[in-house]
Amino acid sequence: MSSALVHLLGVLWVCWWLASTGEAQIEYLRYKDPKQPVATRIKDLMSRMTLEEKIGQMVQIDRSVANAKVMKTSFIGSVLSGGGSEPLPKATAEDWVNMINEFQKGALESRLGIPMIYGIDAVHGHNNVYNATIFPHNVGLGCTRDPDLAQRIGAATALEVRATGIPYVFAPCIAVCRDPRWGRCYESYSEDAKIVQEMTEIISGLQGSIPVNSRKGFPYVGGKTKVAACAKHFVGDGGTAKGVNENNTLIDWHGLLSIHMPAYSDSIIKGVSTVMVSYSSWNGAKMHANRDLVTGFLKNTLKFKGFVISDWQGIDRITAPPDSNYTYSVQASIEAGVDMVMVPYKYDEFIQDLTLLVKSNIIPMERIDDAVERILLVKFTMGLFENPLADTSLVNELGSQEHRDLAREAVRKSLVLLKNGKNESTPLLPLPKKVPKILVAGSHADNLGYQCGGWTIKWQGFSGNSDTRGTTILSAIKSTVDPSTEVVFRDNPDNEFVKSNNFEYAVVVVGEPPYAETAGDSLALTMMESGPNVINNVCGTVRCVVVIISGRPIVIEPYVSTIDALVAAWLPGTEGQGVTDVLFGDYGFTGKLARTWFKSVDQLPMNVGDPHYDPLYPFGFGLTTESVKDLVARSTSAAISVRACIFTIMVTLFISLYLTG
């Protein structure tokens, strides 16, 4: 009996041990269990993390310095592609997926297996990627006054970004550009805060619409076809003095709240996952070190619960000159409330400095925990723990015809007709498709890179037609006109050439070269050098429509009187047929200026409502036209009505004569 009892007790002990260790194993995996509440998963994971693992989550590095080993040993929380940073030239969606999965596998091999989040700029479509659909830049979209269109563009962009295995975008830019001399003005929807607020609907497209009864401020990403978005650049980046990039915004608290802040409130209500801090300063205080605004207002007052990310080497620029006291920059930015730092190269130095600051009790552990909890909240919310690896199931979404059709719609709705005919009785537009011969001229007529602008394939954009796929305006014209119409193209024709040919009319396409950020800052705001010459040579001889390709209003006053029709086409992107859709009357012009068009740069800054407001074309201006189809229908209807009226009169006269006779 005693032997049997001992055996029984042994079996019971083994069962108890197996049960207890099983429970421990379940407990250990709690943060990986999608059935657990997100708060429980975060708490469980945080309790297991070392300081080094927490600080690693706060680091974002560029793909050029990332590899599986670095991800594993440094516990890196995020990787990004800077402007133009790609796996290889003309990389396919599969190339992107393979690269990102390599980094992700390294992260998953770390002790706790926390997935990294890959981020990329997608400011007008998936703009870094070959063959992607490039939508009009925000300066054009603001002229549509169409938040639903913005939402649909967001959804299409999310699909194309996910097609390459990327779950996070640094978009939208919700700056309110108050001075077109700013090199980033084309990233702004409008000088008017209300339009910018309305266009934050793009966030619902990127991330998905938040569920009913969602808690205010909490991030939301609706599954594997959506991406985490980033509202940028907090705050006041569009108001810097003289439009100088990264400069000082001089404005009182009321002005900051009423002009530059409203779109952030709307973005937070829509569940935006992240917010990026601006390089710029507010009344002399660097935003990357501004605790009152980043922690005090954004996090505490607006109740933003996602994570705050720095701009590219943004913390370095807290000091003047940049990087002159890196340890101080790390301290100032983290204390201000920056949660994730876009390093992007010297991650070892950042990790060492932040670790020392925490261990020296200069930065409290509570601040580190707050940052990491916010980062983990976004990662859990977007399902990154359940689906850390990308696949190729969405590769056909990249540059799909459906998305190109949407971009074409966006182009035609964004165009603003500023002039149509030298007098109201003789409008030039819509142009006839069937004529003997027409001239297409200008530096921007057959240049896809110029058409797309900065932040396209490369950081500063490109020139020519080979860097990605799309339709130039010249190609669109050739495919739109009647086959019998001869289309002659000259980049910069002289006066004699124009005179010696019997052109029915001319389409002149001129504007700015591509640029991004500080490289685009301009005090002169003039078009490319050949532009005025082309306008004078062509429009002085033949009826012409001038199409301006630019990221902002530019100087056009000296030439307006010689132009028959003038169109602001902004930076339309890859779908040039959106331009010809309205030039030739398949659709009517509907766009309205979301920016004031000045007479002279001496007037700047000048925005609607200013006491000295005296524009060439005011905010909200935009002539409208009817499509040819509608014109024909209306004239046909009118003709039928006239014929019916004549018939009625004749019948009435006949009856009258009969009765009197």
Side-chain angles (χ1 to χ4, degrees):
M1 284 293 292
S2 60
S3 176
L5 182 61
V6 169
H7 179 73
L8 179 60
L9 289 173
V11 171
L12 290 172
W13 183 87
V14 169
C15 291
W16 172 84
W17 181 82
L18 288 172
S20 62
T21 54
E23 287 175 4
Q25 186 71 3
I26 292 170
E27 176 66 21
Y28 178 73
L29 295 174
R30 183 173 291 181
Y31 73 90
K32 291 189 175 182
D33 181 2
K35 295 178 182 178
Q36 294 287 341
V38 169
T40 301
R41 300 176 76 183
I42 292 172
K43 184 179 179 181
D44 179 66
L45 180 51
M46 289 288 293
S47 71
R48 304 177 189 281
M49 295 175 73
T50 64
L51 175 61
E52 289 72 23
E53 287 167 332
K54 288 177 179 178
I55 288 176
Q57 284 300 300
M58 298 171 67
V59 179
Q60 185 179 67
I61 62 175
D62 186 72
R63 55 154 291 280
S64 60
V65 297
N67 58 56
K69 183 180 178 181
V70 166
M71 302 304 296
K72 177 181 177 179
T73 58
S74 296
F75 315 111
I76 300 298
S78 184
V79 182
L80 84 151
S81 280
S85 184
E86 58 190 352
L88 66 155
K90 298 187 177 180
T92 64
E94 289 90 346
D95 291 328
W96 283 91
V97 167
N98 292 336
M99 177 192 70
I100 292 163
N101 279 347
E102 181 187 346
F103 300 150
Q104 189 67 282
K105 287 171 184 175
L108 296 174
E109 287 174 4
S110 63
R111 186 177 73 92
L112 295 171
I114 304 172
M116 67 90 186
I117 182 172
Y118 198 99
I120 196 166
D121 287 282
V123 297
H124 62 143
H126 200 5
N127 51 256
N128 264 4
V129 176
Y130 178 77
N131 215 25
T133 308
I134 306 299
F135 293 90
H137 267 297
N138 290 352
V139 65
L141 295 182
C143 297
T144 69
R145 306 294 203 279
D146 191 343
D148 175 70
L149 176 65
Q151 190 272 336
R152 289 185 285 137
I153 289 172
T157 300
L159 279 171
E160 297 210 8
V161 171
R162 281 287 196 170
T164 57
I166 299 172
Y168 177 29
V169 298
F170 309 125
C173 178
I174 53 173
V176 182
C177 175
R178 303 290 285 176
D179 194 324
R181 292 174 291 186
W182 185 38
R184 304 192 79 150
C185 202
Y186 63 76
E187 297 183 54
S188 168
Y189 292 107
S190 178
E191 69 189 43
D192 180 72
K194 290 180 181 177
I195 290 177
V196 179
Q197 276 183 279
E198 290 169 358
M199 299 303 276
T200 60
E201 191 59 29
I202 193 172
I203 293 168
S204 301
L206 291 166
Q207 297 193 155
S209 298
I210 59 172
V212 179
N213 300 323
S214 289
R215 294 169 66 188
K216 184 192 173 186
F218 278 77
Y220 175 74
V221 180
K224 294 174 69 175
T225 61
K226 299 296 181 181
V227 294
C230 179
K232 63 182 190 181
H233 308 84
F234 187 82
V235 60
D237 51 339
T240 56
K242 297 184 179 179
V244 175
N245 191 41
E246 303 182 20
N247 203 22
N248 192 23
T249 297
L250 293 165
I251 194 170
D252 61 19
W253 178 240
H254 173 75
L256 191 74
L257 287 183
S258 60
I259 295 172
H260 299 287
M261 198 68 80
Y264 285 95
S265 180
D266 282 53
S267 298
I268 290 165
I269 289 169
K270 290 180 171 71
V272 73
S273 296
T274 72
V275 170
M276 184 182 291
V277 184
S278 176
Y279 287 127
S280 59
S281 303
W282 176 50
N283 295 337
K286 288 279 189 180
M287 282 305 310
H288 273 80
N290 196 319
R291 178 175 170 79
D292 288 342
L293 283 175
V294 176
T295 295
F297 196 81
L298 178 64
K299 290 183 174 180
N300 295 342
T301 302
L302 294 183
K303 307 298 183 187
F304 174 63
K305 301 300 182 186
F307 69 80
V308 175
I309 187 168
S310 82
D311 208 332
W312 177 278
Q313 296 178 331
I315 71 167
D316 305 43
R317 305 186 200 188
I318 290 172
T319 58
D323 200 22
S324 57
N325 187 341
Y326 192 65
T327 303
Y328 168 74
S329 294
V330 172
Q331 178 186 341
S333 60
I334 301 303
E335 287 180 341
V338 176
D339 303 310
M340 181 179 283
V341 177
M342 195 183 290
V343 178
Y345 303 122
K346 54 182 184 182
Y347 58 92
D348 281 336
E349 184 180 353
F350 173 81
I351 290 169
Q352 289 167 11
D353 282 1
L354 184 53
T355 302
L356 180 63
L357 287 165
V358 176
K359 288 183 176 180
S360 302
N361 296 318
I362 294 171
I363 293 180
M365 196 64 207
E366 291 83 0
R367 173 74 273 271
I368 302 300
D369 286 345
D370 171 61
V372 179
E373 285 169 1
R374 289 168 175 273
I375 293 164
L376 294 177
L377 175 61
V378 171
K379 289 184 176 184
F380 278 121
T381 300
M382 66 194 299
L384 203 54
F385 279 77
E386 285 66 63
N387 297 291
L389 294 173
D391 59 47
T392 56
S393 61
L394 295 173
V395 293
N396 291 333
E397 295 290 350
L398 188 69
S400 72
Q401 189 57 50
E402 182 182 356
H403 296 163
R404 293 184 182 279
D405 290 343
L406 175 61
R408 183 173 175 176
E409 175 190 346
V411 173
R412 61 178 177 253
K413 288 182 174 179
S414 67
L415 303 184
V416 180
L417 181 58
L418 300 174
K419 181 180 181 181
N420 190 16
K422 289 182 177 173
N423 58 67
E424 292 183 8
S425 61
T426 56
L428 178 61
L429 301 178
L431 298 169
K433 294 180 181 179
K434 188 172 184 178
V435 294
K437 186 163 60 172
I438 65 173
L439 173 65
V440 179
S443 53
H444 290 58
D446 191 33
N447 195 309
L448 194 60
Y450 286 3
Q451 201 171 292
C452 292
W455 288 111
T456 309
I457 305 301
K458 301 177 179 69
W459 176 39
Q460 294 291 332
F462 67 94
S463 176
N465 298 328
S466 62
D467 283 42
T468 196
R469 183 165 69 97
T471 305
T472 68
I473 293 170
L474 174 64
S475 297
I477 290 171
K478 287 180 176 178
S479 65
T480 300
V481 297
D482 189 85
S484 65
T485 299
E486 182 184 355
V487 179
V488 178
F489 172 64
R490 288 292 186 278
D491 188 329
N492 189 3
D494 60 33
N495 190 255
E496 284 304 311
F497 175 81
V498 181
K499 284 182 177 179
S500 62
N501 283 272
N502 191 24
F503 295 117
E504 187 72 20
Y505 57 79
V507 179
V508 175
V509 192
V510 292
E512 294 186 299
Y515 53 81
E517 300 191 48
T518 303
D521 286 357
S522 172
L523 294 176
L525 294 180
T526 52
M527 67 181 73
M528 282 179 64
E529 189 176 345
S530 62
N533 190 53
V534 176
I535 291 172
N536 289 330
N537 286 343
V538 175
C539 298
T541 305
V542 63
R543 292 187 306 158
C544 75
V545 53
V546 173
V547 179
I548 303 289
I549 304 293
S550 67
R552 54 203 165 184
I554 57 175
V555 175
I556 56 171
E557 173 63 358
Y559 325 112
V560 173
S561 61
T562 63
I563 295 169
D564 292 275
L566 180 62
V567 177
W570 313 111
L571 298 170
T574 52
E575 307 314 301
Q577 285 192 293
V579 177
T580 54
D581 280 344
V582 286
L583 288 183
F584 291 92
D586 292 321
Y587 294 84
F589 280 91
T590 58
K592 304 293 182 185
L593 286 179
R595 306 211 56 78
T596 297
W597 204 297
F598 57 86
K599 292 177 180 175
S600 163
V601 291
D602 297 333
Q603 297 174 296
L604 300 176
M606 178 177 65
N607 296 284
V608 62
D610 288 350
H612 66 292
Y613 198 69
D614 182 28
L616 180 63
Y617 298 108
F619 174 89
F621 180 81
L623 302 174
T624 57
T625 60
E626 288 185 274
S627 70
V628 171
K629 183 173 68 175
D630 289 342
L631 284 169
V632 170
R634 194 156 54 83
S635 61
T636 303
S637 175
I640 291 171
S641 297
V642 168
R643 287 198 295 270
C645 183
I646 291 170
F647 177 76
T648 302
I649 292 169
M650 290 182 68
V651 169
T652 303
L653 284 171
F654 178 80
I655 293 171
S656 176
L657 288 169
Y658 177 80
L659 292 173
T660 55

